[in-house]
Amino acid sequence: MTETYRRPSGGPIGYLKYHYSDTTLRRTPEQVEKEKRLGLGRLSMPYNRWLMFPAAFVFQAICGTLYAWSVFNDPIDKELYGVGADGTTPLKHNAAVTFYLAVGFFGCSAAINGPWLERVGPRKAAMLGTLLFFIGNMVATIGIHFKILGLIYFGYGVIGGTGLGLCYISPVSALQKWFPDRRGVAAGFAVCGFGAGSIAFAKVPLPLIGAIGLTNCFLTLGCCYFAVMFVCCLIFRVPPPGFTVNGMDIYRNKVDENGDVEAFQAEKSASNLRNPASGVSLIDSIFSREYRLMYIMFFGNSIAGLVFLSRLSNIITGIFGQTGSTAATIVSINGGFNLAGRLFFSTVSDRLGRKTCYVFMLVAQVAVLASLPTILESKNYHAFLAAIWIMTACYGGGFGCIPAFLCDMFGPTNIGALHGIILTAWSIAGVAGGLLFTAIFNNLLHNGYTTKDPWVYSKNFYWILSMTTLGFIFVLFVRTSIRDRLLPAIPGEFTRVRFFGRLFRVGSFGFKSVSKEDEEAEWTNYVDTCNSVENLEEIQVPVEKKVGNKTEFDEQLNCKI
């Protein structure tokens, strides 16, 4: 069905409400037919969903060059400020702030533009992001040439970061719609390209700078990035209306051979309840309890890897006395673990569950952070590499699992906006965490410490450890099963958590364990209550009768997450 454009009313507030409530992609029948083929005229061929995989991977790999920014820190600082008496150390260390700015605007762009992405489709959004990233690189090039730090901040940090935010969420959103049968793999393969970017490009800048200079290096890379990303944009699109694959629609509702939605079979005693994610609206999703918990969970998973990654090259050279070339190699290998974590944990999450993977990743990060001060103090290089690579794999795994986790919980039509908003947790971790790290770092340097003293880094690990631990605690309270999400709260209940299959309630009555028998009785009573509204198996809901993102089925069921 093709819907017409609905002009928002009520001024800025009205537009804001419209922006975060409407995620309907509007296409004409001609556009739908055109997108079923790839190419022009006789050179065209039928579109295949598997083309999204390589296109998304390459596209994300270029976006992932952001992770290799630490390689540019010293060359830019030397270009702008010169070097100290030793002939190698820059007089000032300000280039790293560009990374934090890019991360901040990355998240803001994704959060603000997510609903717009769902309305216009991934191709237009990715093209706009590509153009902004190109402009950002060109402005940064001018800043380097004229030695104006503000232009580097504004170009790469503000404009480039804004473009990268749009570029990042565009293919991820589309893949979740094309692969409802392989959500974890699709998400992991897309975002692992982001980790691949630092592998492929971490070793490129230094030789290129040596050959053609820092200014020409930025100019050359910016133009090459733009050309490749533009070609990838031409492949991006979303499925046609009524798309089904392997017996399920994009919501993972089972469908029969005629495309009609069958019963959702996630729970044996709720055989006639559909996946709740197929009816929840964007606004309800944003303000839901589960989304708030997942936001803090993602923040805790991101902060350690994000803040630490921007300083990895400096730690390798300063604390362990390795050369710049060795540090660049380690940054590249570290990107490999970032990539592997994204692909491994997202793939495993299709089997073990998203929540289980996050619990494991956060526990591993807590253990690594607790041991890093001792490792740095003893200057155990190999133990440091093992620890940092474990932490990086878990950090990457968080990015690999989050799109599928959000899609499972809130549905594919909301994924672009929700993914964008939750990336602000990553941005806050990068900006606030990075600035706090830098402030503590610089304060210690002013008090007599040097970049070769482990304490300038170790002191920061304690507050990072507390944030990661907080993320671990909050993920335990995310309700993922249909039973936990739909079962009504009892009087006085604040929240609930499940350990090893056993349900526990927390409320004014304290901490209460619920037996399997009592839980089954409550669930059966709830299902019977829902069924008494009407015989759900006989309800026929016309496709065109919708209230926002909810069908009449969902209004009658009145089962909220």
Side-chain angles (χ1 to χ4, degrees), residues 299-300 303-304 307-308 365-377 391 433 436-437 440 444 454-470:
F299 176 86
I303 193 166
V307 173
F308 204 71
Q365 286 180 297
V366 167
V368 167
L369 286 167
S371 64
L372 272 176
T374 302
I375 292 173
L376 287 182
E377 188 65 33
M391 186 170 70
L436 178 58
F437 189 104
I440 296 174
L444 291 172
W455 181 242
V456 297
Y457 298 104
S458 297
K459 188 173 182 179
N460 279 288
F461 290 141
Y462 296 108
W463 66 263
I464 296 175
L465 175 61
S466 65
M467 296 295 101
T468 305
T469 304
L470 187 68

Side-chain angles (χ1 to χ4, degrees), residues 12 254 272 358 378:
K254 293 184 178 181
N272 56 355
Y358 271 103
S378 63

Side-chain angles (χ1 to χ4, degrees), residues 171-438:
V172 175
S173 170
L175 279 166
Q176 290 300 295
K177 297 176 178 65
W178 280 109
F179 291 89
D181 52 333
R182 294 179 175 88
R183 280 181 178 169
V185 175
F189 197 88
V191 301
C192 79
F194 204 79
S198 58
I199 299 176
F201 296 102
K203 298 288 288 184
V204 172
L206 292 182
L208 195 59
I209 291 170
I212 62 178
L214 184 59
T215 300
N216 289 330
C217 174
F218 259 80
L219 178 64
T220 302
L221 290 177
C223 292
C224 292
Y225 294 160
F226 178 77
V228 177
M229 294 174 79
F230 181 80
V231 174
C232 293
C233 289
L234 300 178
I235 301 175
F236 296 157
R237 61 200 66 193
V238 296
F243 174 77
T244 61
V245 60
N246 291 336
M248 62 179 67
D249 63 12
I250 64 172
Y251 296 99
R252 300 191 73 174
N253 287 313
K254 293 184 178 181
V255 296
D256 61 21
E257 59 184 7
N258 297 319
D260 297 324
V261 176
E262 295 179 341
F264 179 68
Q265 302 290 342
E267 291 284 347
K268 183 177 180 180
S269 60
S271 60
N272 56 355
L273 293 182
R274 297 198 319 175
N275 187 342
S278 64
V280 65
S281 69
L282 177 58
I283 291 295
D284 289 340
S285 300
I286 293 172
F287 291 101
S288 67
R289 170 187 177 276
E290 258 59 49
Y291 190 68
R292 293 193 297 270
L293 292 172
M294 292 172 67
Y295 190 94
I296 299 173
M297 169 203 77
F298 190 65
F299 176 86
N301 184 79
S302 301
I303 193 166
L306 185 59
V307 173
F308 204 71
L309 281 176
S310 66
R311 300 284 182 171
L312 180 57
S313 180
N314 305 89
I315 294 174
I316 296 295
T317 56
I319 302 299
F320 296 100
Q322 303 295 320
T323 64
S325 178
T326 300
T329 301
I330 296 302
V331 170
S332 181
I333 295 173
N334 195 61
F337 280 90
N338 191 336
L339 182 155
R342 291 168 186 250
L343 190 58
F344 173 76
F345 284 109
S346 61
T347 302
V348 169
S349 72
D350 280 335
R351 296 284 185 179
L352 300 182
R354 327 292 180 200
K355 179 177 176 178
T356 303
C357 287
Y358 271 103
V359 169
F360 176 84
M361 290 184 289
L362 285 162
V363 167
Q365 286 180 297
V366 167
V368 167
L369 286 167
S371 64
L372 272 176
T374 302
I375 292 173
L376 287 182
E377 188 65 33
S378 63
K379 295 189 177 181
N380 189 327
Y381 183 56
H382 294 96
F384 172 77
L385 293 182
I388 196 66
W389 287 339
I390 291 172
M391 186 170 70
T392 300
C394 294
Y395 165 72
F399 274 87
C401 293
I402 198 64
F405 203 176
L406 291 170
C407 210
D408 290 345
M409 298 290 286
F410 307 109
T413 58
N414 297 322
I415 178 63
L418 295 177
H419 192 201
I421 294 171
I422 209 167
L423 286 176
T424 60
W426 178 73
S427 296
I428 294 171
V431 176
L435 292 177
L436 178 58
F437 189 104
T438 302

